[in-house]
Amino acid sequence: AMAGGMFPLGIPREQYHECYHLTDEHDRELLLDQMPAVRAARGEKVERQMVVWHTAQGRFPVLASGEWLPATSDHVAAVVLAFQDVTELVRAIRARDEFLSIASHELKTPLTSLSMQVQL
């Protein structure tokens, strides 16, 4: 659903950036060597790397995990990736932060006046 029903397969790692548009959580472009699939293809175990996946369907904050599986007698070597959509979690964190900011401001106003009265 995030990819719009089409997920390009068999892309050489040098061309990932042409098909998979990823940024970090601050919308900075990921360099090729920072992409989860490229890291896994180098043999790194990728665990819950926070990235934003940009598709025709929208922007999706995801946690990416993956690893390289070596070739066996029955299978070629492969990179296996899993993406966990954390859109709702990100929304909840933003709502919490907004609430805490407002609550903090609202509490400071009466506390400031009380503090000034106590000092008199």
Side-chain angles (χ1 to χ4, degrees):
M2 291 188 301
M6 184 173 175
F7 195 79
L9 301 173
I11 305 298
R13 72 177 172 189
E14 296 81 21
Q15 296 174 343
Y16 282 166
H17 65 284
E18 296 172 16
C19 296
Y20 306 108
H21 180 71
L22 297 175
T23 61
D24 67 12
E25 62 268 22
H26 305 291
D27 281 334
R28 293 181 298 234
E29 292 289 327
L30 287 182
L31 299 175
L32 184 63
D33 67 333
Q34 296 170 326
M35 293 185 144
V38 174
R39 291 180 54 212
R42 285 195 311 253
E44 285 183 52
K45 185 170 184 171
V46 179
E47 294 187 35
R48 301 174 58 84
Q49 179 181 353
M50 179 65 162
V51 297
V52 179
W53 188 24
H54 301 259
T55 73
Q57 304 304 310
R59 299 173 73 250
F60 300 94
V62 297
L63 294 176
S65 299
E67 62 184 291
W68 178 75
L69 300 177
T72 64
S73 59
D74 297 337
H75 301 285
V76 297
V79 170
V80 176
L81 292 172
F83 294 103
Q84 179 183 3
D85 182 2
V86 292
T87 302
E88 292 304 316
L89 176 62
V90 169
R91 285 185 188 140
I93 289 170
R94 285 187 182 141
R96 179 205 64 196
D97 290 348
E98 184 177 325
F99 169 77
L100 290 175
S101 174
I102 291 169
S104 173
H105 175 72
E106 294 299 323
L107 285 173
K108 281 182 185 177
T109 303
L111 290 177
T112 301
S113 64
L114 282 174
S115 174
M116 291 173 67
Q117 288 178 3
V118 169
Q119 290 176 358
L120 295 175

